[in-house]
Amino acid sequence: MNRQHIESLSTANKTIIVNKINNSFEVVFRKQNRPYCTIHLNSCQQSLIDSLINQFLKNGEVPNNVGWMV
């Protein structure tokens, strides 16, 4: 397994970490220094990462309208 750290974003109470694992992405969301959820996306879903990050930073929620497995 090849794991590569891509990006980290932090605010006062939210943190987002993006890692690339082989050909997929792992997006880790933390709220108030506690794990909130982790989403694994394959490379064809890469365009979703920005919208997930923006929504989480905006309202502290990750949309569950597509049946994420966390």
Side-chain angles (χ1 to χ4, degrees), residues 1-9 15-30 37-43 45-46 48-50 52-53 68-70:
M1 180 183 343
N2 184 13
R3 180 184 214 115
Q4 177 185 5
H5 178 75
I6 301 292
E7 180 177 17
S8 293
L9 301 168
T15 303
I16 302 161
I17 302 166
V18 180
N19 297 312
K20 186 171 184 180
I21 303 173
N22 296 332
N23 291 328
S24 63
F25 292 91
E26 173 187 63
V27 186
V28 180
F29 297 93
R30 297 177 61 86
C37 77
T38 300
I39 298 174
H40 294 271
L41 301 166
N42 63 35
S43 59
Q45 296 172 308
Q46 182 177 350
L48 293 175
I49 294 174
D50 287 339
L52 291 171
I53 289 172
W68 303 113
M69 292 187 66
V70 293

